[in-house]
Structure formats: C-alpha cells, structure tokens
C-alpha cells in the first residue's frame, strides 16, 4: 500500500441519519483534505461501513459544495442568486425574523430542522434559539413516531436486548428493515450468528430486496399487513403449546385476553390478508416457537403505514408470548433512544421553553405553509423560517403543497446547507454549512449502545460555517440571551456529559466512544417492563400517546385494543390498483448522496418495480416510460419488471433529486401527509397509485 507519511488516520463518527452511527477511521491528508474512510474498531461497527461513506472524499470535496452566502435576486425558485458577505446575510435573516415577529408575534417564525447531521450540538442547537426567542415549536414526526410509539406502547421504554446479542441468537428476525442498505451492521452480527452457531436469518419485507436475498427464511408480504402476520404467529404459538405461560403470567398484562382475541386469527385468515401461503406462516411460527433464542430486530419500514404503530406493537408482542426475552440472544430490539438520558438543557435551552407555545407538525409543512387553519392551531401564519439539516422540498409528503408553500412571496426563508438542494433553491438567503469532519460534535447510537465523539479533523472550505456558529451569530443579532450561546461546541459536549453522569469530554476523547449498555436484567426487562406495574402491555393505552398538539393525530380512538390487522391503510381501488412503497436506495441516504457521482452511477435512474404479470396486463414493457398518479399528483419515471414482489404492489427506491424526474416532480408528490394514529407521522410506504404507459422520449436513456 502506498501511504504517504503525511497521511494520519483519525477517529470520527458518521453523522448521517442512520441507526448504525458508525465509528470511522478517517485518513487526513493535510489540514483541509481527507483520503479514505474506513470502519472503526468500536465493536458494533466492527470495521464495516457502507460504500457511500467509504467514498466520503467525493462528497466533502465536491465541486458543487456551497461556500458563499447567497441572496435571492430573481423571483422565488428561479435560481437567481448573488453572492453576499456573511455579515450582510446574517443581518438580513435577523431583520426578517424581527419583522415577522413584530407583525404577527414570535410564533410566526418557525425554525425547521431534522437529522442531516445527527450530532446533538450542531443538530439541536437551533432549539436554543427557538426557545429563547419564543418561536414556534417543531413536532418531529417525519421518521420515528409510529415505530417508537408502537414499541413503547408494549415495553414502556425505547430500549431492548443488546444489539450485539444478535450474534448469540439462533433465529434472527429482520422485520421491515432493509438492513443491507439502511444499517449494514445488523448484517455483521446476524451473519456471525449464522456462521458461528448455524442460526437462521428470517426477513419480512414487501419485496425481495438485498436483505431478503441473504435470508434463510423469506416472507414477502403485502404492505401494511404485518399486524395480521404477527397475530397468526401468536395464534399458532398459543395453539401449539409454545406460549410460555409462566412468563406470560408474571410479565404481561392480559395473556388470557390475548389468547381469546387470537382465537380466530388463524394462518388462513392471515394468508388472505398478507398474501403469504398458509404453510409459510405455520412454518415460521413453529420456528419461532421452537427456537428459544429468537431475536426480533424490528425496523422502521413496516411502520410507515397508517396502521404502523399497531404493526410495530403486534410484532413486538411475539417475544412476550414465547418469553424469548429471558434468553441471551432472544427478545427484541428497535432503537436505544431510551438508555442515554443525555441532559439537553444547555444545548436546547429547555429552561427557556414555554409549553404554551404551539408545536407545528413537521410532516404537515405543506399544509402549514399554505396556511391551513387547523394546522396553525389558531396562531399566526408562518412568515419566516430558518432551515437546517433537512430538505423538505424533496423529503416531505404532499410535495406539491410543500412547493406551493415555499413559493409564497410573503414567506422569508433562510436555508443553511452544504449543497444547493431543492429547498435551498427556494430560499431568500442561502448559507454555506460545514461537514462533520469540519466541526466538533457528539452522537449517540440508535442501533447500538454507544455515545460517540466526532471531533473536528480538518478546516472547512473558506466561507463555510457550522450550524452552531450560525445559531450563535443570529442569537447575538436578535438579542437572545442564554449561556449556551457563548459556549463552544466542545464546552457543550463537556457540559452535556458531565450533567448526564457520563464523565467528561476529556474522558470521551481518550476512547472515542462510551459503551452505555444496561446490564442483562435491565435490557431484557427481567426486572420488569417500563410501565408502573412492570408488565408488557398487550393492551396499549393508545390514548395516552395522542394529544401532543391540539390537532387530532389520526383516528386513534378506533385503534384496536389488542394486536390486530387494523385496516386503515390507503387501499387500492379501480383507478389506483397499486400500492406504492417508496423504499430507501442503497447509495443514497434520504436526499443526501444524491449529488455524488458514485451514488448516482450505482442507482442508475428513477424506476418503479412492477410485477411482470401486472405489467403484462397493463401493457407495460420492461424499461417503458410510465406515469404514476393519484389525487395528489403525477410522477414520471421508468418501469422495471421485477418478480420479487406480490402483484398489486409497486416499489420506487430512493429519494432522487426532484429534477431527475420529468417536470421536477419527486416521488413524494404521491405521498399523503394525513397524520398517522395515535401521535402523527408520515405514511411514506402507504399510497395507492395508478400507472399508465407513456410514449418513449428521445431523451430516454436506455
Ligand atoms: N418517499 C420517502 N420520503 C421519505 C422517506 C422515505 O422512506 N420515502 N424517509 C423519510 C425519513 S425516515 C426521513 S428521516 C426524512 C429525512 O429527510 P432529510 O432530513 O431531508 O434528510 P437528509 O438527507 O438526511 O438530510 C438533509 C440535509 O441535511 C444537510 N446537512 C447534513 N449535515 C448538515 C450540517 O451539519 N449542517 C447543515 N446546515 N446541513 C446539513 C444535507 O446536505 C442534506 O441536504 O426523509 C423522509 N422522506
Ligand atoms: N442507504 C440508505 N440508508 C438509510 C436511509 C436511506 O435512505 N438509504 N435512510 C435512513 C433513515 S432516515 C432511516 S429512518 C432508516 C430507515 O431504515 P429502515 O428501518 O430500513 O426503514 P425504511 O427505510 O423505511 O424501509 C425498510 C424496508 O421496509 C420495507 N417495507 C415497507 N413497507 C413495509 C411493510 O408494510 N411491511 C414490511 N414488513 N416491510 C415494509 C421496505 O420495502 C424496505 O425494504 O434508514 C437510514 N439509512
Ligand atoms: S452504515 Fe450508516 S452510520 Fe455507517 S457509515 Fe454508512 S451511513 Fe454512516
Ligand atoms: Mo429517518
């Protein structure tokens, strides 16, 4: 290997919105550039990272990176901008916020952000400005709501068996997550179990994706029917004597009620709903019932339907029936958000937060910007925004409404970004942002159990500033007073660690990560589940999850008492005979990496996968130019025949740039923004669509 002596490898952490939160080893070539990126030694990462981050030099040193503040000079969305200085840019943003607040009250300003970086300081510091300035709150619903609430509904806590224990399992059930693409390290540990113990890997998904291709047991069901599958599995477990009654009586709320409820939820019943053969369901249930160490690795994908929380809770109920929680390598895991208890008071100025201030639903951004009264909850219109770490004009549902909202002439928007995204394109002021190796931050693993450090390794391109710098500079101009504005990111990290009982920054710098795994009895709920009576709830108190905002969050009053198939999905009809799933692309991460050459090359072009028999019926040849439509809009892309899906289901992978589609209409044009019960969220994989063939275009790539 030809390694020049001035290349030094440094520890870092991947900042992207991915449960793996990988430890990285980054080659730093000189003060401003990087070489290769490899997986770090932290045991969950185990040296393995995804290809898109391994080629990070391609993104961080990309020619299209924003490096100068810009001011809009033409009509909104025409892309006419002129370079301006940082001081002028920040002055203009502060003035616009003051003007909006003077005219309509402080709630007319809506800072909007998400997890483009998962660093707690750079990501969440925007809330410090929000709370001190009494700007509108953001209710985070775009990603985790249905999954987390469904999990907590059962266990009472967002935590589970140590994710490394997958390697100790005899049956790893990967449910509704395309782990090979979206969190590669799940496969590291699952495959270890197969190699070392002869474990089987089961995958439950709606198409034969890269993860299912590695499965020993594959269940390819209809979208939104996981609750039915889970019920039939539990029916068989009770029927065949695989229910652990000693466990059930000690650890669960109403096992007899559940057994009675499942009486008619037979594999035949579930077969008609899921489209899975009866034998497949029977065999899988038997495998679960006869394997003490069965590990349920529950993902997000199967919760992105209108019945998503019910589906998560139903799947989670299975190990409570078998008592698999009692075994090492058994039980369930979704996310470790509940183990860290990091004190965010200083970073987010939680001490300044007024609970009376309205919370606006992140996923309803289209309706909110269009001024829908129910969404504004009696408050003023949104007149000014700062957007960091997210690209709503691409990623949010009801894209046509989002675009109309951002096009409003009476809305001021500042977007702080690394690239000229679809959202930045609609802005009045664009600010250039640093990338993770150019600033300090702290992270916590969703899919593992570590607090991680990501120190500044190189200088940013001249002109780029971090989120923290922008927030503090705006605070100064707006007269926002809080001690957090005069602290550096390193001060914040140190404060957070010390005030959470996790040591100091100096301690974390020594190792690069801190293992926070609770002991076996706590992680497996041997001491009792997270509810006051210590019992797992087969009968969740769904009402307790509703009411976060004053707007209703889906038909939560009709949620089933016990695990069930809750038929509230956007079902097919004569005009819309297909159910569309907008699954992730392996080489993109949400809308990130859809600007890098390596990722674009691997993904090809926007396509929709359709079963060959459906395609034949509708006269659609492989590669044809087609149009997907529903009442929300129309999207044009190319068809690909694929027999690894059930009939009546179509899959479109990836958040492609909107302008990779004809007319600039991205896939979220088709996705609805109705809140999902019980507490809101976006049903990205739950849209009905029709499909029609279009004449080929001369510009068609083959
Ligand atoms: N159709 C469909 N839509 C979906 C989904 C789906 O499955 N299907 N998934 C949904 C989910 S789960 C999520 S979480 C959302 C995510 O949607 P987004 O939050 O928009 O996703 P990202 O692409 O992770 O990040 C957005 C932006 O953050 C910027 N960024 C990264 N780091 C920094 C930084 O340090 N500072 C600043 N200022 N900017 C930074 C990146 O350049 C990027 O443009 O998308 C949702 N949309
Ligand atoms: N490469 C890559 N990695 C990513 C992302 C990305 O866009 N690309 N996004 C990141 C983000 S923000 C998140 S939140 C995570 C999410 O990661 P995951 O937990 O994997 O969730 P999803 O990406 O929504 O979807 C995963 C799978 O769910 C399947 N699915 C859809 N509907 C159903 C259903 O009804 N039942 C079942 N059983 N399966 C269904 C889809 O076909 C897909 O294969 O991944 C992160 N990692
Ligand atoms: S797998 Fe996820 S956390 Fe790991 S390097 Fe890739 S994007 Fe980052
Ligand atoms: Mo997400």
């Amino acid at each position: 290997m030809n390694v020049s002596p001035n290349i030094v490898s440094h520890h870092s952490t991947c900042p992207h919105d991915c449960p793996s939160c990988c430890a990285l080893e980054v080659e730093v070539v000189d003060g401003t550039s990087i070489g290769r990126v490899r997986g770090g030694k932290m045991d969950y990462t185990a040296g393995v990272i995804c290809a898109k981050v391994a080629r990070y030099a391609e993104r961080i040193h990309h020619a299209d990176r924003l490096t100068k503040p810009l001011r809009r000079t033409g009509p909104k969305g025409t892309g006419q901008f002129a370079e301006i200085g940082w001081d002028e840019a920040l002055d203009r943003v502060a003035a616009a916020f003051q003007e909006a607040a003077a005219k309509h009250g402080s709630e007319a300003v809506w800072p909007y952000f998400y997890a483009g970086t998962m660093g707690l300081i750079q990501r969440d510091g925007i809330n410090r400005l929000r709370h001190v300035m009494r700007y509108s709150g953001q209710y985070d619903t775009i990603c985790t709501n249905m999954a987390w609430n469904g999990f907590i509904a059962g266990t009472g806590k967002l935590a589970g068996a140590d994710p490394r224990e997958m390697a100790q399992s005899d049956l790893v059930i990967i449910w509704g997550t395309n782990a090979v693409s979206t969190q590669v390290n799940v496969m590291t540990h699952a495959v270890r179990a197969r190699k070392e113990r002869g474990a089987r890997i089961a995958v439950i998904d709606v198409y034969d994706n890269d993860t299912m291709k590695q499965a020993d047991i594959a269940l390819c069901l209809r979208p939104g029917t996981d609750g039915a599958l889970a019920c039939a599995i539990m029916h068989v477990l009770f029927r065949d004597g695989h229910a652990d009654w000693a466990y059930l009586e000690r650890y669960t709320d109403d096992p007899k009620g559940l057994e009675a409820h499942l009486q008619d939820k037979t594999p035949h019943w579930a077969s008609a709903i899921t489209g899975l053969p009866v034998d497949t369901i029977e065999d899988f249930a038997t495998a679960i019932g006869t394997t003490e160490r069965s590990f349920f690795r529950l993902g997000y994908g199967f919760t992105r339907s209108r019945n998503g929380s019910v589906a998560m809770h139903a799947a989670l109920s299975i190990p409570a029936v078998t008592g698999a929680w009692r075994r090492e390598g058994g039980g369930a895991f979704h996310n470790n958000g509940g183990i860290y208890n990091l004190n965010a008071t200083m970073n987010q100025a939680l001490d300044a937060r007024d609970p009376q201030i309205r919370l606006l639903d992140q996923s309803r951004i289209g309706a909110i910007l269009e001024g829908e009264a129910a969404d504004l909850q009696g408050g003023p219109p949104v007149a000014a925004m700062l957007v960091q770490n997210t690209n709503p004009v691409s990623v949010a549902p009801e894209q046509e409404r989002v675009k109309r909202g951002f096009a409003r002439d009476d809305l001021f928007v500042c977007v702080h970004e690394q690239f000229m995204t679809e959202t930045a394109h609609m802005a009045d002021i664009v600010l250039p942002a640093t990338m993770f190796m150019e600033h300090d931050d702290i992270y916590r693993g969703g899919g593992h159990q570590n607090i991680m450090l990501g120190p500044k390794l190189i200088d940013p391109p001249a002109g780029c500033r971090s989120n923290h710098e922008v927030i503090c500079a705006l605070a100064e101009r707006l007269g926002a007073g809080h001690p957090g504005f005069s602290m550096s990111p390193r001060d914040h990290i140190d404060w957070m660690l010390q005030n959470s009982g996790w040591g100091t920054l100096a301690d974390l710098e020594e190792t690069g990560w801190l293992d926070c795994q609770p002991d076996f009895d706590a992680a497996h709920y041997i001491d009792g589940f997270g509810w006051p009576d210590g019992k797992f709830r087969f009968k969740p108190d769904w009402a307790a999850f509703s009411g976060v905002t004053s707007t209703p969050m889906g038909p939560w009053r009709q949620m089933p008492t016990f695990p069930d198939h809750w038929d509230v999905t956007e079902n097919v009809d004569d005009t819309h005979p297909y159910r569309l799933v907008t699954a992730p692309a392996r080489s993109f991460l949400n809308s990130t990496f859809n600007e890098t050459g390596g990722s674009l090359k691997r993904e090809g072009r926007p396509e929709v996968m359709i079963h060959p028999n459906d395609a034949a019926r509708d006269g659609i040849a492989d590669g044809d130019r087609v149009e997907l439509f529903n009442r929300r809009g129309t999207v044009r892309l190319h068809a690909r025949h694929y027999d690894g899906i059930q009939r009546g289901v179509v899959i479109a992978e990836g958040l492609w740039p909107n302008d990779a589609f004809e007319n600039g209409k991205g896939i979220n044009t088709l996705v609805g923004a109705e809140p999902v019960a019980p507490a809101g969220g976006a049903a990205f994989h739950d849209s009905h669509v029709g499909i029609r063939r279009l004449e080929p275009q001369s510009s068609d790539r083959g």
Side-chain angles (χ1 to χ4, degrees), residues 98-362:
Q98 271 159 338
E99 194 188 315
K103 194 162 166 201
H104 306 282
S106 64
E107 287 183 328
V109 183
W110 192 25
Y112 190 88
F113 76 119
Y114 206 54
T117 172
M118 292 282 274
L120 302 178
I121 308 306
Q122 306 288 351
R123 185 188 71 190
D124 299 340
I126 193 171
N127 284 336
R128 188 162 71 250
L129 186 68
R130 180 199 312 280
H131 294 145
V132 173
M133 295 303 295
R134 308 177 62 78
Y135 295 152
S136 274
Q138 172 176 308
Y139 178 34
D140 298 352
T141 54
I142 209 157
C143 176
T144 62
N145 252 26
M146 289 89 83
W148 288 14
N149 288 331
F151 196 95
I152 295 167
T155 58
K157 189 177 175 186
L158 186 63
D162 187 329
R164 292 165 295 189
E165 276 179 44
M166 274 181 287
Q168 258 58 257
S169 173
D170 294 317
L171 176 62
V172 181
I173 297 141
I174 299 177
W175 197 317
T177 170
N178 187 0
V180 167
S181 289
T182 64
Q183 40 178 332
V184 61
N185 310 84
V186 165
M187 301 312 290
T188 306
H189 300 275
V191 167
R192 229 185 97 195
R194 177 154 67 194
K195 274 201 194 127
E196 292 176 7
R197 315 171 51 87
R200 283 173 298 171
I201 298 175
V203 172
I204 302 165
D205 208 284
V206 298
Y207 73 117
D208 188 15
N209 59 21
D210 286 346
T211 309
M212 196 176 277
K213 289 196 167 72
Q214 297 208 19
D216 304 295
I217 302 172
L219 291 94
C220 185
L221 42 56
R222 288 192 192 118
T225 65
D226 300 77
L229 173 63
C231 284
I233 290 168
M234 292 188 282
H235 169 98
V236 173
L237 295 171
F238 279 109
R239 185 197 69 195
D240 293 354
H242 298 306
D244 181 340
W245 278 100
Y247 183 87
L248 282 164
E249 265 152 21
R250 172 147 176 224
Y251 283 105
T252 68
D253 60 345
D254 186 6
K256 294 220 164 66
L258 177 66
E259 186 188 26
H261 163 77
L262 294 170
Q263 208 65 53
D264 57 355
K265 310 280 182 287
T266 62
H268 270 101
W269 167 83
S271 172
I273 298 166
T274 60
L276 292 169
V278 172
D279 287 351
T280 303
I281 301 173
E282 288 277 356
D283 292 349
F284 184 46
T286 303
I288 291 169
T290 55
T291 311
E292 287 193 327
R293 294 170 177 237
S294 44
F295 193 108
F296 290 75
R297 183 61 182 81
L298 305 169
Y300 289 98
F302 79 113
T303 72
R304 302 199 197 285
S305 282
R306 287 168 178 74
N307 56 11
S309 287
V310 173
M312 170 59 87
H313 172 259
L316 177 68
S317 294
I318 302 171
V321 171
T322 60
W325 281 107
R326 290 201 290 198
R327 320 278 169 198
E328 191 182 16
F333 180 82
H334 169 61
N335 182 283
N336 254 337
I339 70 169
Y340 301 108
N341 300 314
L342 285 165
N343 187 333
T345 307
M346 183 62 80
N347 186 39
Q348 300 193 36
L350 299 179
D351 46 354
R353 176 169 174 244
D354 177 353
Q356 298 305 314
I357 291 178
R358 69 178 172 183
L359 274 174
L360 297 176
D361 182 346
Q362 175 189 28

